[in-house]
Amino acid sequence: MTTRLDRRVLVVAYYFPPSGGSGVQRTLKLVRYLRDFGWEPVVLTVADGEYPNLDPSLAAEIPPEVAVYRSRAVEPFALYKKLLGHKPEAKVSVGFLNEGSAGTSWREKLARAVRGNVFIPDARIGWLPSAVRLGRRAIREQQVQAIYSSGPPHTAHLIARSLAQKTGLPWLADFRDPWTDIDFIDELRMGRVARWLNARLERRVLREATVAVTVSPSWARMLAAKVPGKPVQVVTNGYDPADFVGVEPISPAKFAVTHVGNLVRARNPDGLLRAAAELAREDAEFARDFELASVGNIDGATRATMAQLGLSHALRHEPYMPHAEALRHVLGAPVLLLMVNDAPNQAGVLPAKLYEYLGSGRPVLAVGPPSGDIATILADTGGGSVFAYDDIAGLKAELTRLYSHWRSDRAAARPVVVP
């Protein structure tokens, strides 16, 4: 018989299994391990959410004792997909990923303007009424003593704020990503009213939450500056060693520079590919062995760059796959590529995949701000190096070094044939 813990916390999160993708992991691991620290999680999430990716296998990580409440949401994505000319069954991508082309059509611009100016703070706002109703019931039935919210979507913070106001419970707001400073904010084509409303809601959440948390020091300073006198705490992402147990690496036959996750337009590895193209012209063996392995969704901009550089043949694309399967590619990769969005506030980007990359022990090649938080962690751990987007000379030298090590390792692994 399972003994329930006395202290219970309501976890408000839109992205939760069967949703897949990186936005799930932080909350899922919290739910999985929080009981070890004396707290019983009670999850409030969405029923039949509009998820960019599905990974039902992640549900196995939810402890069977955990109560999960799922409320229905009014999703506006039917209108969004209609504006884009997509079929009703199509999935809505994240980060404005466009697999067809690098540009944006008038349909996309209109859809983004509607998304940015009508649905505030985000397109999940239709979840709020039912979530608040069900959340009050969950608090009452489970005798909840605290509230935790995970955003984005930042609608989750508004749900938690309403519940905290109605119940007087302490509330922790966890910012996995920024709100008004998110890197694609300009692509939403917000007007002044929408920007003002979002900024006002953001300040209210930061001010009223008992504790506000984010994933990096740079973002903590950025958020704290919005509400002077209210510090923001840092709880970085991480990785779960249990995820690696029993996972058989997939070792590619080529020198595969491997990116796991979404290669959106703002993460187009243009400088890296230009460095690789130069090396390929100078070294026939590198030209034969080099491969960009993209495990996940990929934007048309990266395909266009590779075609322009004569590297289309060097792209190996593996569509989105369950987390455990993606880890096989991480563990077997000759080099792991980490792309930081080429956008404002990039210094504070510390994605969850960075920690899984480090946990794998494979060399990390990061492209982003050389003085950002990623550079600090890579230097402290010795896990890899970071180069600016346009540092073609530096990227070329690093590719040369990593390729040399890969060839040496392969040579050492070959059996000696005795005549």
Side-chain angles (χ1 to χ4, degrees):
M1 181 175 179
T2 302
T3 302
R4 295 187 62 81
L5 303 176
D6 291 334
R7 296 186 298 174
R8 299 187 182 96
V9 56
L10 183 71
V11 175
V12 184
Y14 184 93
Y15 293 111
F16 198 71
S19 174
S22 59
V24 176
Q25 293 297 323
R26 185 172 170 95
T27 305
L28 178 60
K29 297 302 182 181
L30 175 77
V31 169
R32 180 175 180 178
Y33 291 110
L34 197 57
R35 304 181 88 251
D36 295 343
F37 298 89
W39 281 87
E40 177 85 45
V42 176
V43 178
L44 174 62
T45 189
V46 70
D48 301 322
E50 183 71 47
Y51 301 131
N53 297 300
L54 290 172
D55 188 352
S57 68
L58 294 178
E61 296 195 38
I62 305 171
E65 303 86 3
V66 171
V68 179
Y69 288 74
R70 297 184 184 270
S71 63
R72 297 206 171 272
V74 178
E75 297 276 12
F77 283 108
L79 171 62
Y80 187 75
K81 286 184 277 193
K82 190 171 183 179
L83 287 172
L84 287 174
H86 293 171
K87 295 180 179 179
E89 64 272 16
K91 293 293 183 184
V92 176
S93 65
V94 293
F96 302 113
L97 184 145
N98 184 333
E99 296 200 41
S101 67
T104 57
S105 67
W106 69 268
R107 285 177 177 270
E108 289 173 311
K109 291 176 181 178
L110 175 61
R112 292 177 190 182
V114 170
R115 181 173 167 183
N117 292 277
V118 177
F119 303 109
I120 296 172
D122 49 57
R124 314 300 187 182
I125 189 62
W127 180 41
L128 187 145
S130 65
V132 169
R133 287 194 299 271
L134 189 59
R136 294 186 71 178
R137 189 181 113 195
I139 289 171
R140 183 176 63 254
E141 291 179 350
Q142 302 293 328
Q143 299 179 357
V144 165
Q145 294 158 294
I147 301 169
Y148 166 97
S149 57
S150 175
H154 300 295
T155 289
H157 296 318
L158 300 188
I159 294 166
R161 174 175 177 251
S162 178
L163 292 171
Q165 288 174 341
K166 295 176 187 302
T167 62
L169 293 175
W171 160 39
L172 186 153
D174 185 14
F175 288 77
R176 301 189 326 274
D177 281 313
W179 186 332
T180 58
D181 301 287
I182 192 69
D183 49 31
F184 55 77
I185 191 73
D186 290 336
E187 296 191 56
L188 288 170
R189 307 176 72 83
M190 285 184 184
R192 284 183 296 176
V193 173
R195 286 182 181 270
W196 178 81
L197 284 171
N198 272 284
R200 186 182 185 201
L201 289 171
E202 179 185 40
R203 286 195 301 272
R204 285 185 173 181
V205 167
L206 287 167
R207 185 181 299 113
E208 295 176 25
T210 311
V211 179
V213 168
T214 192
V215 301
S216 71
S218 294
W219 284 355
R221 291 190 293 270
M222 176 186 71
L223 290 170
K226 298 175 186 293
V227 184
K230 184 72 178 289
V232 176
Q233 306 299 320
V234 177
V235 177
T236 65
N237 287 310
Y239 75 96
D240 185 354
D243 288 348
F244 296 110
V245 175
V247 176
E248 288 292 329
I250 294 177
S251 299
K254 291 195 171 187
F255 176 63
V257 178
T258 302
H259 181 275
V260 178
N262 294 317
L263 265 182
V264 298
R265 192 155 45 245
R267 295 180 201 148
N268 179 15
D270 181 88
L272 174 76
L273 293 171
R274 293 186 184 280
E278 284 189 14
L279 274 173
R281 288 192 294 269
E282 298 167 4
D283 185 339
E285 291 186 336
F286 179 87
R288 177 198 65 206
D289 291 335
F290 172 73
E291 178 178 78
L292 176 67
S294 172
V295 181
N297 303 312
I298 185 170
D299 190 87
T302 298
R303 295 182 184 275
T305 298
M306 297 191 76
Q308 177 191 5
L309 296 171
L311 291 175
S312 293
H313 66 281
L315 173 64
R316 176 166 58 86
H317 178 217
E318 302 281 352
Y320 177 83
M321 60 185 65
H323 183 240
E325 185 67 17
L327 282 180
R328 298 184 65 201
H329 293 269
V330 170
L331 291 172
V335 179
L336 289 166
L337 175 62
L338 182 67
M339 295 297 305
V340 178
N341 284 18
D342 190 1
N345 302 312
Q346 58 194 218
V349 175
L350 284 177
K353 81 179 70 173
L354 167 63
Y355 299 90
E356 287 194 330
Y357 279 12
L358 293 172
S360 74
R362 308 307 300 152
V364 178
L365 174 56
V367 180
S371 58
D373 293 341
I374 280 178
T376 300
I377 287 181
L378 288 177
D380 289 346
T381 61
S385 302
V386 60
F387 297 86
Y389 308 95
D390 58 355
D391 185 5
I392 296 175
L395 287 163
K396 184 178 176 182
E398 183 68 357
L399 282 174
T400 301
R401 185 185 73 83
L402 291 167
Y403 176 58
S404 176
H405 280 296
W406 177 78
R407 290 193 63 188
S408 297
D409 290 343
R410 283 174 64 86
R414 291 194 192 107
V416 177
V417 178
V418 179

